[in-house]
Amino acid sequence: MSVTTTNEPVLPEVKMHLVRPKEPVTAVITKNEPCTNGRKTATFVRHIEFDVSGTPLEGECLVGQSVGVVAPGEDARGRPHQVRLYSLASATAGEDGAGKILSTTVKRTIDEHWETGELFLGVASNYLCNLKPGDEMQVCGPSGKRFLLPTDSNAHDYLFCATGTGIAPFRGMVRELLAGGCSRRITLVMGSPYATDLLYHDEFTQFAAAHDNFTYMTAISREANTGPDGAVLGPMYVQDRVRADFDALQPQLESDANLIYICGIAGMELGIFQEMAKRMSEPALEGYLAIDPEAKVNIDEWTRKMLNRQVKHTRRVMLEVYA
C-alpha cells in the first residue's frame, strides 16, 4: 500500500504475462559467468545472459521487470517444479541493444535441512548456474508493473539501495539512465557481507569514474568500512551507510524530485526509513513516508509490522523485498 504525494513518477505502460508458465518458450544461454568481486567469496553468484529472439519476450521486457524460469523435472510429490521469478539485470534494450538478449543475476542456494543436517540445493538457482552457452532453458513472463523507471528519466533523481542479488534491477536501471544521457543525480548504495561479495563492483566503479552524476557507495556488514572523511568505520548495513554519508545524501533526499528504490532482503527498508525519519526535515520526509503521530514518538522501536499501517510509503518509494 502507498499514499499519494506530489511529484509522483509517471510510469510506463507495461506488457505482462505474454508467455504463460504452462506454455513457456525456449531461451538459449549466451553467457554465464561469476559477477562477484573476486574468486574467493562466501557466496556463488553468476551473471547469466540468454537469447529470447523469435519469442514474444523479444523487445517487450522493460528494465525492472522479472521473468520466470521453469526448471526441468519434478518435485518430491511428482509435480512439475514451480516457476521461479528472477529480476532482469539488463536494460530495456537488453544486453545487445535490441531487446533480444536479456540477463539476470542468480545466487546458488546451498543450505542444510535443519532437522536432518542433509544438504539442500535450490532447484532453480543451481540449474541456472550450471547452464553453459548454447544450453536451452524454459522461460515465461514478463512480470512487474511497479518497480520501473519513470517515462521521463530527467524529471527525477534516483537513490537505489540494494543487498545481494537485489542489485540486478539496478544494474539495468543504471545502465539505461546513463546510456540515455540522464543528467540527474543517480546514487547506488550496495550492501554485502564481505567486499568480495559485491556484485558488478568493477562495472559500477567504472561508471562512477566516467559519470559525474553517478555515485556508488558500499556497505559491508562483516568488515570495516571507510567513512566520507576517509576514517575507518566498523561493519555497516545499508542504513548505516545512509547515516554515515547523510550530509552527502541530504540534498538529494530533500529534493522533491528524488525517487527511492529498495531491492533486497526484507527488513532493509525498515532501517532505511528509520534513518530518514530521524534526519530529514518534516516537509521533505512527507514526500516519502506518511507516519502516524504515535509512531514518531519512538522511531527506534519501529517494526516491520508497522509498515503499510503506521508507516506508509508514498509512490516516490519503490519496494521489492523478499524473505
Side-chain angles (χ1 to χ4, degrees):
M1 179 186 294
S2 58
V3 293
T4 303
T5 188
T6 58
N7 208 11
E8 293 182 352
V10 177
L11 301 181
E13 295 292 328
V14 299
K15 296 180 181 179
M16 293 175 48
H17 312 305
L18 295 173
V19 179
R20 298 287 178 175
K22 291 186 178 180
E23 297 179 333
V25 295
T26 300
V28 180
I29 301 297
T30 60
K31 181 184 290 187
N32 187 338
E33 62 185 17
C35 56
T36 47
N37 185 32
R39 297 185 63 181
K40 294 183 178 180
T41 66
T43 57
F44 306 99
V45 187
R46 303 187 71 84
H47 172 77
I48 300 174
E49 298 182 5
F50 50 98
D51 190 344
V52 295
S53 297
T55 76
L57 297 177
E58 179 182 336
E60 299 293 351
C61 297
L62 299 187
V63 64
Q65 287 193 297
S66 302
V67 293
V69 174
V70 184
E74 299 177 339
D75 61 20
R77 298 182 179 180
R79 302 172 181 173
H81 290 298
Q82 293 184 345
V83 174
R84 266 72 166 188
L85 292 179
Y86 289 90
S87 295
L88 293 173
S90 45
T92 299
E95 299 290 336
D96 61 328
K100 296 181 179 181
I101 298 180
L102 309 179
S103 67
T104 189
T105 312
V106 183
K107 175 185 176 182
R108 287 188 186 273
T109 300
I110 303 174
D111 207 343
E112 285 187 353
H113 288 287
W114 180 256
E115 297 84 0
T116 64
E118 294 179 353
L119 181 66
F120 169 78
L121 298 177
V123 173
S125 67
N126 284 279
Y127 161 68
L128 285 173
C129 288
N130 288 338
L131 292 175
K132 296 177 176 59
D135 288 344
E136 297 181 346
M137 67 176 186
Q138 300 299 298
V139 294
C140 58
S143 300
K145 61 180 181 178
R146 174 65 185 152
F147 203 81
L148 305 170
L149 289 176
T151 54
D152 183 358
S153 62
N154 273 307
H156 298 277
D157 298 315
Y158 306 88
L159 173 59
F160 300 136
C161 298
T163 58
T165 54
I167 196 66
F170 299 143
R171 176 184 180 268
M173 289 179 179
V174 169
R175 290 165 68 94
E176 182 148 322
L177 290 170
L178 295 179
C182 178
S183 59
R184 302 301 294 261
R185 289 173 290 196
I186 307 167
T187 302
L188 170 64
V189 185
M190 170 65 183
S192 69
Y194 301 97
T196 52
D197 296 323
L198 291 169
L199 305 179
Y200 304 110
H201 178 68
D202 289 345
E203 185 172 335
F204 291 129
T205 300
Q206 293 169 8
F207 284 154
H211 300 272
D212 292 338
N213 63 320
F214 176 61
T215 301
Y216 174 50
M217 301 177 173
T218 61
I220 312 301
S221 62
R222 298 181 187 177
E223 293 179 0
N225 292 262
T226 302
D229 58 356
V232 177
L233 304 177
M236 59 172 58
Y237 294 97
V238 171
Q239 63 266 27
D240 300 319
R241 176 57 72 188
V242 172
R243 179 177 64 253
D245 287 58
F246 187 77
D247 287 347
L249 292 171
Q250 186 173 12
Q252 180 174 340
L253 283 170
E254 298 271 346
S255 168
D256 63 5
N258 188 60
L259 304 178
I260 298 176
Y261 292 71
I262 301 174
C263 187
I265 298 175
M268 64 180 295
E269 76 279 30
L270 177 64
I272 294 170
F273 291 164
Q274 287 174 305
E275 294 301 328
M276 292 169 58
K278 291 176 183 177
R279 288 165 174 77
M280 291 182 62
S281 66
E282 191 72 20
L285 182 63
E286 290 176 353
Y288 306 105
L289 300 174
I291 306 171
D292 286 351
E294 298 82 1
K296 294 180 180 179
V297 176
N298 195 340
I299 297 172
D300 288 327
E301 296 299 319
W302 286 4
T303 67
R304 291 200 73 240
K305 291 182 178 180
M306 298 170 66
L307 299 181
N308 295 330
R309 297 178 181 178
Q310 294 169 279
V311 182
K312 301 178 182 179
H313 64 85
T314 72
R315 295 188 183 277
R316 283 174 52 197
V317 178
M318 321 291 189
L319 290 180
E320 194 166 282
V321 297
Y322 45 85

